[in-house]
Amino acid sequence: MHSKQKCWCKSGKAYEECHKALDNKLELLKKQGNNVPTHKMIKNEKQIAGIREACRVNTLVLDAVERQIRAGMTTEDINKIVVEETKKLGGIPACLGYEGFPKAVCTSVNNVVCHGIPSKKQVLKEGDIVNVDCTTIFKGYFGDSSRMFEIGNVDERAKKLVRVTKECLDIATKNLKPFDHLGDIGYYVSTHARENGYSVVVELGGHGVGLAMHEDPFVSHVGKRGQGILLVPGMVFTIEPMINEGRAGVFVDENDGWTIFTEDESLSAQWEYTLLMTENGLEILSK
Ligand code: MF3
Ligand code: CO
Ligand code: CO
């Protein structure tokens, strides 16, 4: 008597009752000329449950930032909120020490695109727009999301950039269906950004996430419709458009090696979700 073959996803279930049907479908789609994701990009139910929890904690940390952020605070104060809230919830800030990053969270103000380092010297002032990008490890799983905050009264131009950037993320999130292409993400994001006169940062993008902070695939925000791998149920990844009011060019601060600025000093905004592809479309796991 021979035992049934176990599924490659390590669910412990028989292959026939687990991912066989998906594999058959992907094989057919591949024959029809599509690029398909690797097995490594597809999470099992247990992993999804763990990632869901990490994402829930990550969202709660950003909620704590949202309740407290205000003019007069330093970006180091934001870091302190993240450290304390994450600890309270039993998580670990993933950014701290990641490839040498010195703080627990990224705080990116005005013309900083992303990867801003919290500092005691940087005071938030009325009119600033700030991205707070938080990644949490909880029981070994990762959740990653970011939000924009307007400090006091912000001028209409900045408000519009913040709003349209959120719309770019929400339009992509709502429209994507299973077996759409990775490039469709960039299509939705860049179309909406450009319709509003904005440019899209190309050097940085979203990513697979869940078992590590950054996994394959790289998620471009300028991709082309119908191109790239298929997005299949069980994939967990971020969409995190960085949208500039001026030109798309960016550069890295040569002193700290991290902070990414717009080349033309124009404003930049970013929003990020961790997303799960389901049979019915994208589910937001962390926002
Ligand atoms: N949270 C960021 C992202 O969305 C990664 C920050 S890495 C750090 O991918 F080292 F800068 F913190
Ligand atoms: Co992030
Ligand atoms: Co991310």
Side-chain angles (χ1 to χ4, degrees):
M1 153 139 199
H2 81 258
S3 65
K4 281 192 191 167
Q5 192 190 352
K6 292 274 198 298
C7 191
W8 49 259
C9 80
K10 296 180 182 147
S11 63
K13 288 195 252 175
Y15 180 51
E16 282 95 87
E17 283 136 38
C18 201
H19 281 99
K20 186 165 185 205
L22 178 65
D23 278 348
N24 288 345
K25 181 164 179 167
L26 290 178
E27 202 177 318
L28 185 66
L29 286 161
K30 198 174 168 184
K31 277 188 192 138
Q32 293 167 350
N34 296 288
N35 292 313
V36 300
T38 60
H39 283 164
K40 220 184 158 188
M41 296 180 197
I42 301 168
K43 268 77 179 178
N44 69 29
E45 273 167 38
K46 184 179 162 213
Q47 291 167 335
I48 290 168
I51 296 165
R52 191 185 293 285
E53 279 297 286
C55 284
R56 182 183 62 77
V57 172
N58 194 60
T59 300
L60 288 172
V61 175
L62 277 174
D63 288 346
V65 171
E66 184 151 354
R67 285 193 300 274
Q68 296 172 69
I69 194 167
R70 70 193 74 241
M73 215 176 230
T74 65
T75 49
E76 174 62 29
D77 294 329
I78 305 298
N79 190 75
K80 192 163 175 242
I81 294 168
V82 168
V83 167
E84 284 174 3
E85 194 69 15
T86 307
K87 194 174 170 202
K88 196 175 97 189
L89 294 164
I92 300 166
C95 292
L96 187 61
Y98 176 80
E99 292 186 6
F101 191 78
K103 295 286 172 173
V105 64
C106 298
T107 52
S108 303
V109 180
N110 297 333
N111 60 321
V112 174
V113 174
C114 63
H115 300 170
I117 302 173
S119 162
K120 277 180 193 156
K121 291 183 198 151
Q122 186 175 40
V123 181
L124 298 177
K125 58 182 196 305
E126 176 116 1
D128 284 343
I129 57 169
V130 189
N131 174 273
V132 179
D133 187 345
C134 199
T135 310
T136 301
I137 310 171
F138 186 74
K139 297 186 179 168
Y141 296 100
F142 290 69
D144 180 13
S145 57
S146 80
R147 301 181 197 168
M148 293 299 296
F149 299 106
E150 298 175 1
I151 306 302
N153 281 320
V154 166
D155 72 37
E156 287 305 319
R157 277 175 49 192
K159 268 190 194 305
K160 186 184 169 194
L161 178 68
V162 169
R163 174 176 59 78
V164 170
T165 303
K166 176 87 163 27
E167 288 167 359
C168 288
L169 175 55
D170 284 331
I171 289 167
T173 300
K174 286 200 174 75
N175 280 290
L176 285 160
K177 302 174 301 299
F179 304 98
D180 279 350
H181 292 78
L182 187 64
D184 298 349
I185 295 170
Y187 164 77
Y188 288 121
V189 168
S190 62
T191 301
H192 190 63
R194 287 167 188 157
E195 272 171 10
N196 283 278
Y198 299 143
S199 60
V200 181
V201 173
V202 303
E203 288 88 344
L204 302 115
H207 48 90
V209 65
L211 311 183
M213 170 133 73
H214 293 137
E215 301 172 11
D216 287 336
F218 175 76
V219 177
S220 171
H221 300 109
V222 294
K224 290 196 171 58
R225 199 174 208 172
Q227 294 195 351
I229 59 165
L230 300 180
L231 301 171
V232 317
M235 288 177 74
V236 179
F237 56 88
T238 72
I239 304 179
E240 49 181 299
M242 285 146 274
I243 306 297
N244 296 350
E245 194 180 20
R247 300 178 68 89
V250 301
F251 69 93
V252 190
D253 186 307
E254 57 183 42
N255 296 308
D256 69 28
W258 279 103
T259 313
I260 310 278
F261 291 92
T262 57
E263 231 161 45
D264 62 5
E265 297 187 353
S266 68
L267 290 178
S268 186
Q270 179 179 29
W271 291 82
E272 174 178 25
Y273 297 150
T274 293
L275 298 155
L276 167 68
M277 183 56 84
T278 75
E279 306 286 343
N280 306 309
L282 287 173
E283 178 187 342
I284 301 172
L285 296 184
S286 186
K287 62 181 179 19

